[in-house]
Amino acid sequence: MKREKIADLWSFLILLAGAVFMIAPFIWTVSTSLKNQRMIFDMPPKWIPDPISLDNYRDVWGQSPLLNGFANSLIIVAVVLTVGMLVSAMSAYAFGKFEFPFKGVLFMGLLGTMMIPYSVVMIPQYIGFSTLNWVDTLLPLIVPGLFGNIVVIFFIRQYLQGALPNDLIEAAKIDGCGFFRIFWSIALPTMKPALAAQAALGFMGIWNDFLGPLIYLHTPEKQTIQVLIASMQALYIGQSNYPMIMAAAVIAMVPVIVVFFFCQRYFIESMAISGIKG
């Protein structure tokens, strides 16, 4: 028992050290955003600003088009998640619970596209979107996501294998339910934990996307919040005004934290059920 307690203590200390290591940059970002310019390079560093100032949050809205970037990112996230998650759910339901010709081949081909690096398709995509005159619009960042996400399809399919019995679907068919009724009334509510978990991950991926907006969006008013923060140092605020840059970073992190807070319980639930069969 003594050895077990010592092992548990060491495990706790290691996990605590890892947690501190992971959260320290976030705390320092918040702390820096509440400082004035003179306090940035104080030695030793001060984790708690004295005095605490909110001027950086007020000034960052006035000196950069951060509000436009925030709105553009929200538009992209809302449209892609709403339509893309629905399409992914329908595809996962079809691959998981339907039998049709070449099902295995099509699913393996779908998974095979995950192996293609983005750098391979980046130039052909840009040429195609340029031909359609979509460059410098939000369409290149929205339209591809409307057709679903391969990772989401695979994950939800695996989830359905353990969460939705085939007997329940057969009983619904006997009662006269069609495809869309079964999907909407039975399959979709069953997918809720998996959809919530994948929606949270998808939100973070789309919200934090930097390369796509950097390639396709040229006008500052059309940029997303991540690109604006990256360009803020040179274009809007000045090379050394780190408190404002940190204030903008904190503003960009708030939606991600809120989404994760509301969806965190679905991660464990979806992982547990999807692991029953796999």
Side-chain angles (χ1 to χ4, degrees), residues 152-180:
V152 177
I153 294 173
F154 174 75
F155 183 85
I156 296 179
R157 175 189 175 273
Q158 297 300 106
Y159 178 87
L160 287 175
Q161 297 296 318
L164 183 60
N166 294 330
D167 294 341
L168 184 60
I169 298 176
E170 294 299 327
K173 291 180 179 179
I174 294 174
D175 289 339
C177 294
F179 170 81
F180 289 103

Side-chain angles (χ1 to χ4, degrees), residues 2 34 65 69 81 123 133 152 159 169 264:
K2 187 176 181 180
L34 299 173
L81 282 186
I123 295 178
N133 294 321
V152 177
Y159 178 87
I169 298 176
Q264 59 177 331

Side-chain angles (χ1 to χ4, degrees), residues 5-232:
K5 291 182 178 180
I6 294 176
D8 292 341
L9 178 61
W10 275 109
S11 300
F12 173 78
L13 292 176
I14 293 173
L15 291 175
L16 180 63
V20 171
F21 181 78
M22 295 296 293
I23 201 173
F26 172 74
I27 297 176
W28 183 252
T29 299
V30 176
S31 174
T32 304
S33 69
L34 299 173
K35 296 178 180 178
N36 57 45
Q37 185 64 20
R38 298 189 305 273
M39 299 172 62
I40 296 300
F41 300 106
D42 286 350
M43 294 301 292
K46 295 181 179 179
W47 288 86
I48 301 177
D50 185 21
I52 295 176
S53 174
L54 298 176
D55 292 342
N56 297 314
Y57 291 91
R58 184 189 68 246
D59 295 340
V60 75
W61 291 107
Q63 297 189 26
S64 71
L66 197 66
L67 182 59
N68 289 335
F70 200 92
N72 292 333
S73 295
L74 281 180
I75 292 172
I76 296 171
V77 167
V79 176
V80 171
L81 282 186
T82 302
V83 181
M85 292 299 291
L86 180 60
V87 173
S88 297
M90 295 179 68
S91 301
Y93 174 62
F95 277 116
K97 295 300 177 180
F98 276 21
E99 294 297 333
F100 51 88
F102 307 108
K103 172 184 172 180
V105 175
L106 291 174
F107 188 68
M108 292 304 297
L110 184 68
L111 295 181
T113 59
M114 296 172 58
M115 306 297 121
I116 302 177
Y118 179 69
S119 56
V120 174
V121 300
M122 182 171 58
I123 295 178
Q125 273 191 352
Y126 184 87
I127 295 174
F129 290 138
S130 178
T131 304
L132 295 173
N133 294 321
W134 285 4
V135 176
D136 204 24
T137 70
L138 299 181
L139 292 176
L141 306 176
I142 293 177
V143 174
L146 301 181
F147 297 94
N149 184 284
I150 301 170
V151 177
V152 177
I153 294 173
F154 174 75
F155 183 85
I156 296 179
R157 175 189 175 273
Q158 297 300 106
Y159 178 87
L160 287 175
Q161 297 296 318
L164 183 60
N166 294 330
D167 294 341
L168 184 60
I169 298 176
E170 294 299 327
K173 291 180 179 179
I174 294 174
D175 289 339
C177 294
F179 170 81
F180 289 103
R181 180 64 182 277
I182 296 174
F183 172 78
W184 190 261
S185 301
I186 299 176
L188 197 59
T190 305
M191 298 177 193
K192 182 180 177 181
L195 284 174
Q198 291 301 310
L201 295 175
F203 181 93
M204 287 187 284
I206 300 170
W207 184 265
N208 294 324
D209 184 25
F210 179 80
L211 184 59
L214 183 66
I215 293 174
Y216 294 110
L217 302 178
H218 305 153
T219 307
E221 289 74 15
K222 297 179 181 179
Q223 288 286 4
T224 60
I225 190 169
Q226 302 299 338
V227 178
L228 286 177
I229 292 174
S231 60
M232 194 175 292

